[in-house]
Amino acid sequence: MVLDEQFITRCREAFNTFDEDGSGTIDANEMKSLLEAIGEAPSEEELFKFMADVDEDGTGEIEFAEFLRAFEKHNGGERELEDELDTIDAFVALGGNTDKTGFIDTARLISVVKEEFGMTIRIERTIAELDKDKDGKVNYQEFAALFV
């Protein structure tokens, strides 16, 4: 995920606000203030774990680049979750279940891809490769592999 310039500027402003001593880094006490400002109340253990996760170079302080990477990871995780939820929605729309069980009939999938979406891809070949057990049905794992 690429962060846009405006977002980076807002992050720099937030970082500078909580870098109370102007050192160019955020230590554990400053991070605690930052987390409390956004409504979190971390225990000492949670704060230690958070700092360890974000502090990539092990200095005990978080530089701006590490701060940005933490946001990038967080936002990337949200995007992955959104992508998975979209995949589940499509799986359900084609006949699967919300808990990722069930199957999609391959004939139905071919029909949707070719007739409803008007795509000219060789979906039969793709499905044949994905349908590992060759039962003419696509389970969630096989369906999700279409989007990797």
Side-chain angles (χ1 to χ4, degrees):
M1 177 188 149
V2 177
L3 301 176
D4 67 39
E5 192 172 330
Q6 185 179 18
F7 182 78
I8 293 171
T9 300
R10 289 194 323 263
C11 284
R12 172 60 80 183
E13 290 167 2
F15 184 87
N16 290 341
T17 298
F18 289 96
D19 177 18
E20 296 165 357
D21 61 3
S23 65
T25 62
I26 294 179
D27 63 25
N29 289 329
E30 293 166 331
M31 181 55 70
K32 185 173 183 179
S33 296
L34 187 152
L35 292 171
E36 288 172 346
I38 62 171
E40 299 294 321
S43 67
E44 290 299 316
E45 184 179 326
E46 291 169 329
L47 182 60
F48 176 80
K49 182 176 177 349
F50 181 81
M51 289 292 292
D53 287 346
V54 176
D55 181 22
E56 296 172 352
D57 60 6
T59 62
E61 297 183 326
I62 297 171
E63 292 84 21
F64 182 66
E66 293 170 326
F67 185 75
L68 269 182
R69 279 192 292 278
F71 273 104
E72 192 172 32
K73 276 189 211 174
H74 175 73
N75 290 341
E78 285 180 1
R79 180 148 306 152
E80 287 173 19
L81 176 61
E82 286 178 26
D83 289 347
E84 182 172 4
L85 292 174
D86 289 344
T87 302
I88 292 170
D89 286 345
F91 182 69
V92 170
L94 291 167
N97 301 319
T98 56
D99 64 354
K100 302 180 189 177
T101 61
F103 299 92
I104 297 170
D105 181 73
T106 55
R108 168 87 171 109
L109 182 55
I110 292 167
S111 170
V112 167
V113 169
K114 288 191 167 193
E115 295 168 22
E116 293 182 31
F117 293 133
M119 299 176 81
T120 58
I121 63 170
R122 294 182 182 169
I123 190 66
E124 297 89 350
R125 182 175 167 187
T126 303
I127 291 172
E129 291 172 8
L130 292 174
D131 186 14
K132 300 293 183 199
D133 52 12
K134 307 298 180 207
D135 62 357
K137 297 182 282 187
V138 177
N139 66 29
Y140 179 78
Q141 288 74 25
E142 293 167 336
F143 180 70
L146 282 168
F147 305 102
V148 177

